[in-house]
Amino acid sequence: MKYAKLTIASEFIKGKIDKRIYGSFVEHLGRCVYGGIFEPGHPEADENGFRLDVLDLIKELDIPVVRYPGGNFVSGYNWEDGIGPVKDRPRRLELAWGTLETNEFGTDEFMAWCKKAGTAPMMAVNLGTRGPDEARQLVEYCNHPGGTYLSDLRKKYGSDLPYDVKLWCLGNEMDGPWQMGAKTSVEYGRTACEAAKIMKWTDPTIETVLCGSSSWGMKTFGEWETASLDIAYDHVDYVSMHQYHSNNDNYLENFLAKGVETDSFIDSVIAALDYVQGKRHSKKRIDISFDEWNVWYHSNGAEFEKWSKAPHLLEDVYNFADTLVVGTMLNSIINHADRVKIACLAQLVNVIAPIMTEDGGKAWRQTIYYPFWFASKYGRGYALQQIKDTSKYDTRWYTDVPHVDTSSILSEDGNELVIFAVNRDTEDEITLETKLCDFDGFRVIEHIAMEDTDPMAFNTKDSEVVKPVSKALPELDGRIMKCSLKPMSWNMIRLRK
């Protein structure tokens, strides 16, 4: 018999949710920038070339931070190429993705776009083909108030006030052989240490993110985190992790189980970080920046013309099954709110993204837009420590996979409780029975679900097939709430005092 029981109490807090876990990512890759957030001449473009229809969808998501400009792209990027008069900017061969970079959009344009989008920039520096000196110069250009060559250059190019960028990524996936300037853990640790040191000398208010291993499956994973962090420990604040899930073998039950791998990956990174802290007898704790995560597999192998500008690259068209996996990944991030302080859904527009656009035409919401939207809107406050008891299943790759995956959030004022629940089972409806230990006076006010949909269904510019619906309110009897979860469904239940 399949079942799911949940026990929660307002006093059992796992961690304060940092709003930055609802961040995203813009890279100079495919049509994320050109034809995505930036398309001069589009009917919806403003005077800066920013697409207002795309901005409207982004503002709905209430994204607090956006990572830029990469990604693999940053390991060969000269930031100076993207400032100054656009007509004078160089056109470059972009080696990470085999495309042409025109540099029409650069640092100054990104900062202006962030202001219009109501988000904060999270900048990455090139520690592949360049190094600490270029990194600290970018910090000076962005953050120093004035009176130096670089800060005055920023003023000359239109921004009298500093950009005040607080978050800085020290390169990207530097253990990956596909990365320009890939390094060993010790080589990277030394470079990152010196970069972070002089970047913070330039602006002591910034925080820095050390590159973790490119993925959990890398042979370097674990040793990379511990060796590089041990070297750079005193000058960094976070370690990054990246994870993408796929359904390349077309095995639905296994695909829906992949959230358990996200839980294990996060726990493994925490173990590595705490090992180094213990080894150093340090009072300083390093937390996680999960600054690339998503589902990614639909667009693998897509062909494009090499050295073309903004080709259609990595444009995954997401289906309903992808929505459920994204929902479980969000649950994992929320449930680790004590250590995951930043997270970036990769990416924001067109490239493995919740938002798609048509060149010169419409913008629309992909299926994965909705669980992210609800989490960003209602998943803020305190993540609760849950006691879970649910039936489980096994797949070819995973064992003891919970049929029902949940996260529970108490609002900052203590007056609202939100439960996100995904029923992974492909056949049966399961009743989620929740014991509310100390939520006297709370009443159920909403049940939203995404359900009853072909797992392969997807949205288009003209038809939104996969979308949330309002459901009948769950039964609340004293301190016991019962909610029926349809097979293969994502759910949000809200209670309020």
Side-chain angles (χ1 to χ4, degrees):
M1 182 177 177
K2 297 166 186 175
Y3 65 92
K5 295 183 179 181
L6 184 65
T7 302
I8 49 179
S10 63
E11 294 183 354
F12 297 159
I13 293 173
K14 180 69 180 289
K16 177 73 165 60
I17 295 173
D18 191 316
K19 67 179 183 179
R20 295 176 299 175
I21 69 171
Y22 301 116
S24 192
F25 179 27
V26 164
E27 180 174 2
H28 283 249
L29 163 58
R31 295 192 309 125
C32 186
V33 173
Y34 305 114
I37 65 172
F38 179 73
E39 191 177 347
H42 188 279
E44 294 275 354
D46 67 6
E47 67 280 5
N48 297 309
F50 305 152
R51 281 189 58 162
L52 299 178
D53 55 344
V54 174
L55 275 169
D56 287 342
L57 294 177
I58 292 169
K59 287 177 182 178
E60 285 182 11
L61 293 172
D62 192 12
I63 293 170
V65 66
V66 175
R67 181 169 170 247
Y68 174 87
N72 296 346
F73 171 84
V74 78
S75 290
Y77 182 54
N78 300 331
W79 68 267
E80 303 92 336
D81 290 349
I83 61 173
V86 173
K87 65 180 177 60
D88 296 333
R89 296 182 190 178
R91 296 161 70 90
R92 304 278 192 192
L93 296 183
E94 204 293 284
L95 302 184
W97 301 105
T99 60
L100 177 69
E101 176 54 54
T102 63
N103 287 301
E104 298 163 71
F105 188 99
T107 299
D108 295 320
E109 287 80 12
F110 178 67
M111 297 301 172
W113 178 85
C114 283
K115 186 175 182 179
K116 196 145 192 174
T119 191
M122 179 181 183
M123 293 292 287
V125 297
N126 177 358
L127 295 187
T129 60
R130 307 187 89 185
D133 192 44
E134 291 85 0
R136 64 97 179 171
Q137 289 178 19
L138 180 57
V139 174
E140 182 180 332
Y141 180 85
C142 289
N143 287 7
H144 197 70
T148 67
Y149 170 76
L150 290 171
S151 59
D152 287 345
L153 193 62
R154 182 197 68 242
K155 291 185 176 186
K156 175 183 177 182
Y157 292 152
S159 182
D160 193 57
L161 295 176
Y163 295 132
D164 198 26
V165 180
K166 295 301 185 188
L167 274 174
W168 294 83
C169 299
L170 303 170
N172 175 77
E173 296 184 357
M174 297 307 301
D175 64 337
W178 58 85
Q179 205 71 214
M180 290 175 275
K183 293 172 172 57
T184 67
S185 59
V186 173
E187 288 171 337
Y188 171 70
R190 290 291 305 131
T191 301
C193 178
E194 293 307 308
K197 182 173 72 177
I198 62 176
M199 289 166 72
K200 286 188 172 184
W201 287 355
T202 305
D203 182 353
T205 70
I206 67 171
E207 293 184 306
T208 56
V209 181
L210 187 78
C211 281
S213 181
S214 304
S215 77
W216 199 22
M218 294 288 290
K219 291 181 179 179
T220 45
F221 174 72
E223 184 275 334
W224 175 274
E225 279 75 6
T226 56
S228 61
L229 180 58
D230 198 14
I231 295 168
Y233 201 93
D234 293 335
H235 302 288
V236 301
D237 304 283
Y238 308 93
V239 170
S240 73
M241 56 178 286
H242 294 174
Q243 186 176 57
Y244 297 99
H245 291 312
S246 68
N247 189 23
N248 288 325
D249 57 0
N250 200 29
Y251 181 7
L252 183 58
E253 288 80 5
N254 192 75
F255 180 51
L256 297 177
K258 297 224 169 171
V260 301
E261 189 174 316
T262 302
D263 285 327
S264 297
F265 187 17
I266 295 173
D267 290 339
S268 296
V269 174
I270 291 171
L273 305 187
D274 289 350
Y275 162 75
V276 180
Q277 181 182 6
K279 177 177 179 289
R280 297 173 63 89
H281 306 285
S282 176
K283 293 181 179 179
K284 176 183 176 181
R285 189 182 79 175
I286 303 293
D287 288 322
I288 292 173
S289 175
F290 199 167
D291 48 44
E292 286 188 35
W293 70 271
N294 205 344
V295 168
W296 174 13
Y297 64 100
H298 296 284
S299 59
N300 290 346
E303 295 183 357
F304 68 98
E305 182 184 349
K306 195 169 184 180
W307 309 130
S308 59
K309 175 189 172 182
H312 289 248
L313 262 175
L314 278 56
E315 297 195 6
D316 278 35
V317 176
Y318 288 113
N319 58 42
F320 178 58
D322 301 325
T323 301
L324 303 180
V325 176
V326 165
T328 61
M329 295 184 80
L330 283 163
N331 283 344
S332 296
I333 292 168
I334 291 168
N335 288 332
H336 288 88
D338 57 327
R339 300 303 296 272
V340 179
K341 299 300 180 182
I342 305 161
C344 301
L345 177 67
Q347 292 183 17
L348 186 54
V349 185
N350 288 327
V351 176
I352 50 173
I355 299 168
M356 288 290 284
T357 72
E358 179 183 41
D359 293 331
K362 294 182 179 180
W364 65 97
R365 302 171 186 86
Q366 291 234 65
T367 63
I368 64 169
Y369 184 97
Y370 287 107
F372 188 79
W373 182 88
F374 281 102
S376 178
K377 183 175 179 63
Y378 296 107
R380 306 196 183 201
Y382 300 95
L384 298 181
Q385 182 68 57
Q386 305 171 114
I387 300 174
K388 295 185 280 188
D389 179 20
T390 176
S391 53
K392 299 175 181 179
Y393 71 100
D394 296 337
T395 75
R396 188 183 308 139
W397 293 355
Y398 307 106
T399 58
D400 295 327
V401 180
H403 277 120
V404 174
D405 181 72
T406 62
S407 62
S408 302
I409 302 99
L410 183 67
S411 63
E412 287 196 46
D413 63 10
N415 291 326
E416 183 162 308
L417 173 66
V418 176
I419 298 171
F420 293 112
V422 175
N423 180 3
R424 293 181 167 111
D425 194 79
T426 59
E427 297 177 352
D428 294 327
E429 186 170 317
I430 298 176
T431 297
L432 174 62
E433 182 179 306
T434 305
K435 183 179 180 181
L436 305 168
C437 292
D438 58 351
F439 292 92
D440 296 336
F442 279 69
R443 59 187 178 85
V444 185
I445 61 170
E446 189 173 36
H447 177 196
I448 300 290
M450 297 177 74
E451 61 183 20
D452 287 337
T453 304
D454 178 352
M456 300 298 110
F458 57 91
N459 296 339
T460 69
K461 64 177 181 177
D462 298 316
S463 176
E464 190 171 77
V465 176
V466 181
K467 56 187 177 182
V469 296
S470 294
K471 300 282 292 181
L473 298 182
E475 173 190 339
L476 179 59
D477 185 5
R479 294 187 174 184
I480 303 297
M481 180 179 68
K482 294 183 179 180
C483 181
S484 295
L485 311 177
K486 288 288 187 71
M488 285 193 63
S489 66
W490 172 94
N491 302 264
M492 181 188 72
I493 305 145
R494 293 174 60 212
L495 299 90
R496 191 157 185 84
K497 186 184 291 186

